[in-house]
Amino acid sequence: MCSKAFYRSFLFFYKLLLRRLKFAHGTNLKLQKCPSLDSLRTSCTGDHLFFDLEGGLLRCTTTFPYFMLVALEAGSFLRGLALFLLYPLICCLSHDMGIRVMTMVAFCGVRVKGFRLGRAVLPKHFLEDVGLEAFEVLGKFKTRICFSGMPRVMVEGFLKEYLGVEVVVGREIREFGGYFTGLIEGQGKVALSEVKREVELHAKQSGKNGVVGFGGLQALSAYDISSTCKEVYLVSEADKKKWQPLHRSRYPKPLIFHDGRIALRPTPLKSLFLFLWLPLSVPLAITRAIAFLYLPRYLHIPILACLGMVSRKIIKKSHNNEQACTDTEIKRQVADNDNCFKGQVYVCNHRTLLDPLYISGALGRHVIATTYSVSRVAEILSPIKTIRLTRNKEVDRKKMETLLSEGDIVICPEGTTCREPYLLRFSPLFAELNRVITPVALTSHVSMFYGTTASGKKYLDPLYFVMNPRPHYTVELLDKVDASSGENSGKQWNSYYEVANYVQSKIGEALEFECTKFTRRDKYLMLADNEGIVEAVSKER
């Protein structure tokens, strides 16, 4: 009886194995082994390329980090924790079933309207995971058709906007009442008929050149495209481990704006560190905030350093700068100009809401911070005076002139934060004050959470910044610039825009950042689908 049961079990697994082998050989793919892909990278063998995103472009062997980002950014830490706890089960399931489980956990109950993670959050992590060797293959073809096992809403924005892919084929998630259900439409392999249709269509267009297939064995073997593809190149996991990451300078489109709270790429191991750190980060952040707000200046600096908050002050002096002002020239200008005020203007690039606080700490005295759409909570808790501007040029100029009679002011002419090494266009309003200007170059570094957001809750920005294990700030005071156009000025400025561009260039040179003409409006239209103007400000205008 026992031997009979064993025989039946053995026969069952033998038939299953035979079926798998038959399926593998039944695809009849014309394979060409190219471990280094040198032949495909150096010569263009077709007009159209059909490639697999996960198996042929990304260096990572799992899609878990991208679903974790969706769970954390579109959902909550609890949703992300649920996905992390299910990871061992996902590893035991088939690839297709694992995708379905992760889609269910990450998307169930997420609102369809306003879902912008595919354009605002995920492209940064996708670009950092692109292999240089695979990217060079994409540039050899005129038309690119991409297939992905992930939902199309996750990958389409990245593929079309940053890689110029013409056709994207991915899974579709069912919707109900304006929310994602988490259920993937269709059964079995994803959009099999759609993939074949796209490949056959482009094969007819290209004539004898045909379509070249490129990707992983697991994805390409699911489609019988040998009759339409001229060649099919398969990439193994061993080959992908040798790939180099795509450098920022090679990006087809510069990555200037991106959103989201999570700064790290949440692989399973880093996700473990994240959830272990969360219970410690909140009380640590509260302790840091209390020390910063209520302790004397000579005490909170060493205490915050002991609590892991690192800051560095740099004073740059250059005798070769023709526009640099000496202290003697400043005193002479103050004496000769009846309209001069006693305060100084500090112009800095914008990294987080804490910029004026770090500048105040570097100077050793209180300054006045000018803000636009900072939350009321941040204004109440701020240890320095904050003044909200209205974005009305004349009203704001009069406000800042009045503030200069009270003390030093800090202005962020970018109007919004930028996480990447780029400077947005400087508003020339600060130059109209006809004052000596001190440019300040700021850099900040976080390892776990971003302290800025475009579509989230802004009053939590400072909290997220101090929740990092070791948040780092560098304050670099540059040479003063004479922005006046009188006889005592070192240069006759043609316009206030020229002054703003000059100050922007000096800060960009100090930080090795690239200067751009992008504005606050450009950032918010891309990340949050609005112009970045809060309701209260709109009413004032």
Side-chain angles (χ1 to χ4, degrees):
M1 186 70 180
C2 182
S3 60
K4 187 176 181 181
F6 175 79
Y7 174 77
R8 289 181 177 178
S9 301
F10 176 78
L11 185 61
F12 171 76
F13 285 110
Y14 176 77
K15 291 181 179 180
L16 180 61
L17 179 61
L18 188 63
R19 191 182 303 117
R20 292 289 182 90
L21 292 174
K22 183 178 179 181
F23 170 78
H25 292 284
T27 57
N28 194 28
L29 289 176
K30 295 184 292 184
L31 306 181
Q32 179 175 345
K33 184 171 180 57
C34 298
S36 62
L37 297 177
D38 290 336
S39 60
L40 187 57
R41 292 165 57 191
T42 56
S43 61
C44 179
T45 56
D47 294 333
H48 303 272
L49 176 68
F50 169 75
F51 70 98
D52 170 30
L53 175 62
E54 295 92 317
L57 186 64
L58 303 181
R59 295 180 297 124
C60 183
T61 58
T62 176
T63 58
F64 174 81
Y66 307 111
F67 284 98
M68 177 60 74
L69 284 169
V70 175
L72 293 173
E73 301 289 0
S76 62
F77 287 113
L78 289 178
R79 186 190 291 263
L81 179 61
L83 179 60
F84 174 75
L85 295 176
L86 288 173
Y87 180 70
L89 174 63
I90 294 172
C91 293
C92 299
L93 299 175
S94 64
H95 178 75
D96 182 73
M97 187 57 65
I99 292 290
R100 292 177 179 272
V101 172
M102 289 189 289
T103 303
M104 171 62 72
V105 177
F107 280 91
C108 183
V110 174
R111 187 184 294 272
V112 176
K113 184 179 180 180
F115 182 86
R116 303 180 64 82
L117 268 66
R119 292 185 57 192
V121 177
L122 295 176
K124 171 185 180 295
H125 300 273
F126 280 130
L127 283 171
E128 292 175 350
D129 195 26
V130 171
L132 175 61
E133 291 79 358
F135 175 76
E136 291 177 350
V137 171
L138 265 62
K140 299 293 182 180
F141 295 84
K142 298 179 182 179
T143 304
R144 286 145 296 201
I145 313 164
C146 181
F147 162 77
S148 175
M150 291 184 282
R152 185 175 55 85
V153 72
M154 291 175 59
V155 301
E156 186 174 30
F158 159 68
L159 291 170
K160 289 189 174 181
E161 293 186 18
Y162 288 91
L163 295 184
V165 175
E166 288 75 14
V167 180
V168 178
V169 181
R171 300 171 186 255
E172 300 292 340
I173 307 176
R174 294 179 182 177
E175 304 173 8
F176 179 78
Y179 293 87
F180 289 115
T181 63
L183 299 175
I184 294 177
E185 294 184 356
Q187 299 293 329
K189 298 300 177 182
V190 184
L192 179 60
S193 59
E194 185 176 353
V195 171
K196 286 187 175 182
R197 183 172 63 251
E198 292 292 343
V199 173
E200 292 173 357
L201 175 63
H202 288 83
K204 292 179 181 178
Q205 295 175 354
S206 59
K208 63 178 182 179
N209 287 331
V211 178
V212 175
F214 171 64
L217 174 63
Q218 188 172 16
L220 292 185
S221 62
Y223 306 102
D224 186 14
I225 58 177
S226 60
S227 59
T228 52
C229 282
K230 178 183 178 181
E231 297 171 324
V232 176
Y233 293 81
L234 298 183
V235 181
S236 66
E237 298 299 334
D239 297 333
K240 296 174 65 175
K241 291 180 180 179
K242 302 176 183 178
W243 285 0
Q244 299 296 322
L246 182 65
H247 192 268
R248 179 185 298 274
S249 61
R250 299 288 302 274
Y251 287 178
K253 175 183 176 181
L255 178 68
I256 300 177
F257 302 123
H258 58 86
D259 203 12
R261 292 293 192 186
I262 307 302
L264 53 80
R265 188 168 179 275
T267 60
L269 183 58
K270 291 183 179 179
S271 298
L272 174 62
F273 293 153
L274 173 65
F275 290 115
L276 291 177
W277 173 252
L278 271 178
L280 303 175
S281 63
V282 176
L284 178 61
I286 295 175
T287 304
R288 288 170 172 174
I290 293 175
F292 194 90
L293 294 174
Y294 298 107
L295 291 181
R297 188 183 303 275
Y298 66 91
L299 286 179
H300 77 233
I301 293 180
I303 290 179
L304 288 176
C306 294
L307 293 175
M309 295 192 69
V310 182
S311 61
R312 190 162 62 114
K313 174 184 175 182
I314 300 175
I315 300 178
K316 180 179 179 181
K317 292 294 182 181
S318 174
H319 300 289
N320 297 325
N321 186 356
E322 296 179 357
Q323 298 302 323
C325 296
T326 63
D327 292 337
T328 303
E329 291 172 341
I330 294 173
K331 293 178 181 179
R332 183 177 60 184
Q333 182 185 2
V334 172
D336 294 341
N337 192 349
D338 295 334
N339 295 324
C340 281
F341 306 94
K342 64 180 180 181
Q344 295 190 37
V345 178
Y346 293 92
V347 176
C348 66
N349 59 307
H350 202 2
R351 305 302 289 178
T352 71
L353 290 177
L354 302 179
D355 293 343
L357 298 181
Y358 276 93
I359 294 176
S360 176
L363 296 174
R365 61 180 183 272
H366 285 295
V367 295
I368 303 173
T370 57
T371 65
Y372 284 105
S373 58
V374 68
S375 66
R376 294 296 182 185
V377 175
E379 290 180 333
I380 295 173
L381 295 178
S382 176
I384 63 175
K385 184 177 180 180
T386 61
I387 298 298
R388 179 173 296 201
L389 302 180
T390 63
R391 298 192 184 276
N392 183 300
K393 181 178 178 180
E394 293 300 324
V395 174
D396 292 342
R397 183 172 61 83
K398 292 179 180 179
K399 275 189 176 183
M400 287 191 286
E401 288 178 349
T402 304
L403 293 174
L404 279 172
S405 64
E406 302 177 7
D408 302 335
I409 65 173
V410 174
I411 301 175
C412 302
E414 288 180 291
T416 187
T417 57
C418 184
R419 298 172 177 175
E420 298 302 314
Y422 297 93
L423 293 180
L424 307 186
R425 189 181 70 185
F426 277 25
S427 171
L429 182 59
F430 69 89
E432 299 184 23
L433 300 177
N434 195 29
R435 289 291 303 171
V436 173
I437 298 168
T438 303
V440 183
L442 300 176
T443 55
S444 62
H445 173 74
V446 296
S447 58
M448 196 167 287
F449 306 106
Y450 284 117
T452 60
T453 182
S455 57
K457 299 177 181 178
K458 292 185 177 295
Y459 64 87
L460 294 177
D461 286 358
L463 177 63
Y464 273 101
F465 181 81
V466 296
M467 282 173 60
N468 284 281
R470 286 180 61 84
H472 183 275
Y473 241 98
T474 299
V475 180
E476 184 175 354
L477 302 175
L478 306 179
D479 293 321
K480 295 180 176 64
V481 175
D482 188 353
S484 63
S485 298
E487 296 180 356
N488 296 325
S489 175
K491 180 180 179 180
Q492 294 291 334
W493 302 102
N494 296 323
S495 66
Y496 295 124
Y497 290 97
E498 187 177 346
V499 180
N501 293 338
Y502 178 79
V503 174
Q504 182 198 39
S505 66
K506 299 308 293 182
I507 295 178
E509 181 182 348
L511 297 174
E512 297 183 353
F513 283 9
E514 182 179 342
C515 298
T516 72
K517 295 182 179 180
F518 290 103
T519 64
R520 174 190 178 92
R521 182 175 181 271
D522 297 323
K523 171 186 172 180
Y524 278 84
L525 284 176
M526 174 183 174
L527 301 183
D529 203 19
N530 60 64
E531 297 187 5
I533 300 177
V534 296
E535 184 178 359
V537 177
S538 299
K539 289 181 179 180
E540 291 178 7
R541 296 184 64 180

